């Protein structure tokens, strides 16, 4: 298991952000985390990265406790935060120069390809780039590290529809070709549906649904057949 | 093999900080000020009022930009995960302690090299011109003090004749200590002053982290206010009278060493504040490990 969470509870002073959360993510899975604002998605991802502590439970990532992730394990984790966190004074190429030494699996070709495909301005400082460009730069760097697991917190914020499709396509490729585990949060159901094979819905710090996408689809299908008497083909024809 | 890799990681971090931040003219305006300082010295071996004014203005700009760069990071103190720079470093596959000490090492290189450079330039500034027709004039003031003044026409290193009149007792630039490496003593004093200024400011900030207090604001903006007033006075004088020396310019010319000291204090001070401000953020990394 790449992610193991058992009975996780996280309390802030006046609020319980996560309540008895348990979930496992197997190697090569692509899991989408959906929830409204303040549901606990970011807190869950930050706990997984070891940024914040938790009150109860057990959290493991790549077999290591999230409270003590060593450098070798961090090398295998790619993380993109909701708020862009690249160094504002460095260019993408500067940061890539640093990453080349930090990550043993660093893929120079992948970076060059993503810079070209996503049309990223690589030689300007991050602070002078637009939000969308910074987001793309962050993801390009993250993907070029060739991580075993990708933790992405609202990765599509600030991206236009075309770029979202391009990023999703690279994510799908990493998942299917290299077996990269993907665990990502989003508000947008259609983005989750495109590449996730499992969806988790979190509400007020509790998991209210943890289901495979195929099963969800078939249950929706059954509902349509049961209540409207329409099959998939018929629904597609009717534009539903 | 593992140890070699660790060493390389630390070195690449030191190189990264130096290249992208501390010695990068785009990101550290103070570095530009130092370069301009060097150019002035190389060209004329002396600073006139316009040079001082320019340096003052650049120092203000530097102060402003660097202050802005770290504003968000310094304000967000509640949880480390809320500070983007912290989060960035935490996600890297290298221990927080190593990042912290790499940063300290790079800032040490930066501060030391600027210290040596400015000290050298100051020593050059303090070199006496080639004096001709030297006269020592002794006069007695109304208080009964004896003043020894060195007067005469001197040639600067570029061969420009210059009338020199130096009060040997009062002049900071030409006192015996200055002659033997006093540049460094002077510069050290500037560093100490800047350090005291920043330390007192940090103490003020600790009492009031949100910086809303008027006292904190006043203390933070005091040097900017002084420079702005001086700059306005310079500009007014330049516009109104091209020939006559006004009160402000006269004051600056009479107290040129004081003005240079002030600008040095702000240059060095801002230089140190980069180090201290970012250090306070990165020091959190030590605890996280």
């Amino acid at each position: 298991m790449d992610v193991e969470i058992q009975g996780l509870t996280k309390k802030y002073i006046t609020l319980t952000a996560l309540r008895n959360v348990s979930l496992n993510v197997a190697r090569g899975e692509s899991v989408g985390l959906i929830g409204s604002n303040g549901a606990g998605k970011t807190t869950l991802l930050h706990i997984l990265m070891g940024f914040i502590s938790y009150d109860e439970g057990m959290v493991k990532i790549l077999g290591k406790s999230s409270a003590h992730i060593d450098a070798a394990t961090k090398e295998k984790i790619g993380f993109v935060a909701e708020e862009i966190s690249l160094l504002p004074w460095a260019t993408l190429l500067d940061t890539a120069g640093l990453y080349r030494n930090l990550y043993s699996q660093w893929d120079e070709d992948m970076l060059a390809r993503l810079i070209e495909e996503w049309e990223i301005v690589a030689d300007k400082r991050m602070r002078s780039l637009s939000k969308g460009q910074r987001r793309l730069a962050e993801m390009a760097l993250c993907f070029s590290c060739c991580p075993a697991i990708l933790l992405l917190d609202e990765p599509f914020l600030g991206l236009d529809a075309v770029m979202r499709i391009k990023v999703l396509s690279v994510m799908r490729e990493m998942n299917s070709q290299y077996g990269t585990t993907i665990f990502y949060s989003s508000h947008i159901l259609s983005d989750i549906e495109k590449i996730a094979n499992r969806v988790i819905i979190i509400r007020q710090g509790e998991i209210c649904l943890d289901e495979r996408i195929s099963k969800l689809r078939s249950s929706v299908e059954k509902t349509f057949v049961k209540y409207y008497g329409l099959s998939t083909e018929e629904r597609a024809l009717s534009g539903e | 093999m593992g140890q070699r890799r660790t060493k390389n990681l630390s070195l690449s971090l030191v190189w990264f900080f130096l290249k992208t931040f501390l010695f990068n003219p785009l990101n550290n305006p103070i570095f530009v000020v130092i370069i301009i300082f060097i150019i002035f010295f190389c060209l004329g071996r002396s600073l006139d009022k316009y040079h001082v004014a320019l340096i003052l203005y650049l120092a203000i700009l530097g102060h402003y930009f660097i202050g802005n760069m770290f504003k968000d990071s310094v304000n967000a103190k509640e949880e480390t995960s809320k500070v983007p720079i912290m989060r960035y470093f935490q996600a890297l596959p290298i221990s927080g302690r190593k990042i912290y000490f790499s940063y300290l090492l790079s800032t040490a290189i930066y501060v030391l090299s600027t210290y040596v450079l400015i000290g050298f330039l100051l020593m050059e500034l303090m070199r006496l011109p080639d004096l001709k027709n030297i006269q020592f004039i002794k006069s007695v003031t109304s208080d009964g003090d004896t003043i020894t003044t060195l007067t005469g026409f001197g040639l600067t290193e570029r061969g420009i004749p210059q009338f020199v009149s130096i009060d040997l007792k009062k002049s900071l630039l030409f006192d015996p200590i200055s002659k033997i490496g006093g540049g460094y003593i002077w510069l050290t004093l500037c560093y100490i002053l800047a350090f005291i200024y920043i330390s007192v400011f940090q103490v003020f900030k600790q009492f009031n982290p949100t910086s809303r207090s008027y006292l904190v604001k006043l203390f933070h903006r005091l040097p900017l206010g002084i420079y702005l007033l001086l700059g306005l006075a310079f500009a007014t004088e330049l516009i109104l009278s091209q020939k006559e020396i006004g009160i402000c310019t006269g004051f600056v010319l009479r107290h040129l060493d004081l003005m240079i000291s002030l600008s040095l204090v702000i240059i060095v001070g801002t230089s140190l504040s980069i180090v201290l401000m970012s250090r306070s953020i990165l020091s959190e990394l030590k605890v996280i490990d």
Side-chain angles (χ1 to χ4, degrees), chain A residues 10 12 46 49-52 71 74-75 79 81 83-90 94-95 98-99 101-104 125 127, chain B residues 5 9 12-13 16-17 19-21 24 26-27 65 69-70 79-82 84-85 87-95:
Chain A
K10 167 71 185 172
Y12 290 111
H46 280 193
M49 279 302 291
F51 293 161
I52 48 177
K74 271 187 193 172
E75 224 182 288
F79 178 70
E83 196 181 341
I84 296 152
S85 57
L86 283 176
L87 295 176
W89 64 78
D94 287 333
T95 314
L98 176 70
Y99 281 19
N101 292 320
L102 294 183
Y103 293 90
S104 53
R125 288 174 296 165
R127 59 191 302 199
Chain B
R5 180 173 148 73
L9 288 183
S12 52
L13 266 171
F16 177 75
F17 286 129
K19 187 187 150 205
T20 63
F21 184 41
N24 187 327
L26 286 171
N27 292 320
F65 281 117
M69 188 180 280
F70 281 103
E79 278 227 48
T80 53
S81 69
K82 288 184 182 168
I85 291 180
R87 204 166 44 209
Y88 173 78
F89 284 121
Q90 269 181 276
L92 291 181
I94 181 165
S95 76

Side-chain angles (χ1 to χ4, degrees), chain B residues 43-271:
Chain B
L43 288 177
R45 298 247 176 224
S46 66
L47 293 174
D48 67 18
K49 57 179 176 174
Y50 304 111
H51 295 146
V52 176
L54 187 61
I55 287 170
L56 292 177
Y57 272 120
L58 287 171
I60 295 170
L61 278 177
H63 200 275
Y64 175 76
F65 281 117
I66 288 168
N68 266 357
M69 188 180 280
F70 281 103
K71 201 168 69 183
D72 297 337
S73 316
V74 172
N75 287 342
K77 275 268 175 190
E78 318 88 41
E79 278 227 48
T80 53
S81 69
K82 288 184 182 168
V83 184
I85 291 180
M86 280 290 302
R87 204 166 44 209
Y88 173 78
F89 284 121
Q90 269 181 276
L92 291 181
I94 181 165
S95 76
R97 197 177 288 269
K98 221 168 273 173
I99 295 169
Y100 179 68
F101 286 111
S102 302
Y103 183 72
L104 281 193
L105 183 62
S106 54
T107 50
I109 294 170
Y110 169 72
V111 171
L112 199 70
S113 52
T114 51
Y115 178 82
V116 171
L117 199 67
I118 298 175
F120 172 75
L121 294 172
L122 283 176
M123 278 178 63
E124 286 293 300
L125 174 77
M126 286 167 194
R127 194 181 287 167
L128 274 169
D130 181 19
L131 291 173
K132 287 175 182 171
N133 307 320
I134 307 166
Q135 284 182 345
F136 283 96
I137 300 168
K138 280 196 176 182
S139 52
V140 183
T141 62
S142 54
D143 302 331
D145 291 339
T146 309
I147 303 168
T148 309
T149 319
L150 177 73
T151 57
F153 279 98
L155 286 176
T156 62
E157 290 204 359
R158 294 171 77 199
I160 302 160
Q162 188 182 35
F163 183 73
V164 183
S165 177
I166 304 154
D167 181 346
L168 285 181
K169 205 173 178 182
K170 283 188 181 172
S171 174
L172 178 70
L173 290 176
F174 295 95
D175 69 352
I177 305 166
S178 300
K179 282 177 193 162
I180 33 172
Y184 284 101
I185 297 171
W186 200 30
L187 188 62
T188 309
L189 277 173
C190 290
Y191 267 76
I192 292 167
L193 271 174
F195 192 78
I196 292 169
Y197 171 76
I198 293 164
S199 306
V200 175
F201 179 62
Q202 294 275 332
V203 172
F204 270 134
K205 275 203 91 165
Q206 278 197 349
F207 281 117
N208 192 340
T210 48
S211 304
R212 281 189 192 128
S213 144
Y214 286 111
L215 195 60
V216 172
K217 276 188 178 171
L218 179 77
F219 197 73
H220 185 48
R221 288 168 191 174
L222 197 63
L224 299 187
I226 293 170
Y227 286 148
L228 201 66
L229 282 174
L230 272 173
L232 279 173
F234 269 127
T236 318
E237 278 184 21
L238 282 175
I239 294 163
L240 293 180
S241 65
Q242 287 289 332
K243 289 173 187 172
E244 289 176 21
I245 293 174
I247 300 166
C248 179
T249 319
F251 175 82
V252 170
L253 286 176
R254 276 195 300 278
H255 302 281
L256 196 59
D257 45 0
L258 176 75
M259 290 295 111
I260 300 170
S261 303
L262 260 175
S263 51
L264 268 176
V265 168
I266 204 75
I267 291 169
V268 171
T270 314
S271 208

Side-chain angles (χ1 to χ4, degrees), chain A residues 75-78 103 105-108 110 141-149 174 178 180:
Chain A
E75 224 182 288
K76 294 175 192 161
I77 306 171
Y103 293 90
Q105 302 290 318
W106 177 256
D107 187 344
E108 200 67 49
M110 170 74 120
L141 285 166
C142 176
F143 293 177
S144 303
C145 297
C146 298
I149 179 166
M174 287 180 79
Y178 308 111
T180 311

